[in-house]
Amino acid sequence: MSGGIELVVIGADGGPERGHGGSARAADGARTLAAALPGRTFDAGTRGSNVSVPPADGDANTLLTALRQAAQRPARWLVVCLLGQLVADPRGRRVALVTAGSTPDNAYRRGLAWDWITSAMVHGEQEETLLIVDAVADRDTWAALLREDGAGELLGHSRVPLWGRIGRWSAGRRGRDGVLPGAEGSFSWALGRVLEHGVPGAPAAVGPLDLQPAVEGQLGWGEPASAGEARLMVPRDGGRLLMRNRAAVRGALAGLPLSDELLAVLWRESAPTDPPSA
C-alpha cells in the first residue's frame, strides 16, 4: 500500500423539489472540504492525495462510480465526504442520499444508498477508512435514524468510522436546526474553519477526537433546545487519520529567534500550495 489518501467528496444537490431543499448548499460544502482536507492530512498532504469530486447534479450511478473507482486505487486511506439530504425507504430500514431529479415518490429509489457507500468502502484497496457526513433528514427519516432497529443501525458500521453531523430539517422551517449542509454553521463549514486556523495548544498532528471540541465550538453546539435536533458523531477509537494543526506550526515558528521576514518564508513553505485534483 502507498501512504497516500483517496478523498471522495460527494455533495449531492437534490434539485428544485421544495421537499429536497436541505441539499441546496451541499455543493458549497463539498468545495470547502475538497479544498481544506488534502493540504491538512499529516502523512500525505496535497501531493499524496487524490481528490474526486463528482458533479453535484450527478445521479446515483455517477456518484457511486466515482466512489468505486477511488476505492479500487491502492492507498493507505479512503476518506469519503457525504453532504446533502438523507431519505429513508418506506419501511424506515435503509437510507439514501437524495440525488438530482428526485421527486417525493422516488427519492429513495433514485438516491445513493448508504449501504452502497459503506460496502464500497469496506471492499476497497485501502488500509483505513473514514466517512465524514454533513447531512440533514426530514421528519420521517429522522425518526428512522433514531430507531436502533431501523436505519439508525447503519450509523454504527464497525469497519467504517463515522465523523460528522446529521440534523433534522423541515421545508420552510428556520432556526438552528435548519442549518443546511455546506452553509454557514454546518459541519463542513465548521471543519473547514478549524482546519484553516488550527487548534491552539493541541499537538502538531491532530485527529478527529482532538479537533471535535473546536468543531463543536464553531457549531455553537450545546444549547439544550437544539440537543434533540441533531446528532454529532465521532469515531469510536478517536480516529487515526492525522491532520496538520496550523496553530501548532505558527506557535513553533513564533517561538524561534528568527527575523520576521524568515518567519514569513517558513510559514509560506508550511502552507499547502497545490490545488486539489479533479
Side-chain angles (χ1 to χ4, degrees):
M1 295 291 179
S2 71
I5 293 177
E6 285 291 331
L7 174 64
V8 184
V9 187
I10 298 174
D13 186 343
E17 173 64 43
R18 184 171 181 270
H20 300 156
S23 64
R25 298 291 299 277
D28 296 337
R31 285 190 290 268
T32 295
L33 293 180
L37 284 167
R40 299 293 173 266
T41 49
F42 194 83
D43 57 353
T46 52
R47 298 184 189 280
S49 300
N50 187 61
V51 186
S52 303
V53 186
D57 60 354
D59 59 17
N61 184 62
T62 298
L63 304 181
L64 184 61
T65 297
L67 172 54
R68 285 176 170 170
Q69 289 175 344
Q72 291 169 2
R73 292 189 286 265
R76 181 184 173 193
W77 276 93
L78 174 61
V79 179
V80 178
C81 303
L82 197 66
L83 300 97
Q85 183 171 341
L86 300 177
V87 61
D89 72 313
R91 298 176 58 193
R93 300 298 303 272
R94 302 171 70 193
V95 294
L97 187 70
V98 176
T99 55
S102 300
T103 68
D105 295 330
N106 67 15
Y108 176 76
R109 294 194 305 275
R110 291 178 61 100
L112 178 62
W114 185 289
D115 52 317
W116 295 352
I117 297 167
T118 55
S119 176
M121 296 178 71
V122 166
H123 294 95
E125 295 295 323
Q126 294 77 27
E127 299 173 5
E128 306 276 359
T129 64
L130 178 66
L131 179 56
I132 298 176
V133 178
D134 185 6
V136 291
D138 61 20
R139 181 186 62 185
D140 294 340
T141 303
W142 180 256
L145 289 170
L146 292 179
R147 289 177 18 224
E148 293 184 359
D149 62 340
E153 66 181 0
L154 297 173
L155 304 183
H157 197 294
S158 61
R159 295 178 59 188
V160 181
L162 189 61
W163 187 24
R165 178 184 187 272
I166 299 177
R168 181 176 172 181
W169 179 84
S170 298
R173 187 175 179 179
R174 296 184 179 182
R176 296 184 55 79
D177 58 309
V179 174
L180 301 184
E184 182 174 341
S186 67
F187 186 84
S188 54
W189 175 87
L191 179 56
R193 285 177 60 86
V194 170
L195 291 176
E196 173 65 23
H197 299 289
V199 182
V206 290
L209 194 60
D210 304 303
L211 294 173
Q212 187 66 13
V215 172
E216 292 186 17
Q218 292 290 333
L219 293 171
W221 186 256
E223 295 184 10
S226 65
E229 301 296 334
R231 181 170 177 176
L232 288 181
M233 299 149 293
V234 186
R236 283 192 293 268
D237 62 358
R240 286 177 283 184
L241 177 67
L242 295 180
M243 287 162 277
R244 300 176 189 273
N245 180 9
R246 296 192 75 178
V249 175
R250 285 195 296 268
L253 295 179
L256 295 175
L258 303 174
S259 67
D260 291 341
E261 291 80 8
L262 183 53
L263 284 174
V265 171
L266 290 172
W267 173 238
R268 285 197 300 270
E269 290 296 322
S270 71
T273 56
D274 296 341
S277 58

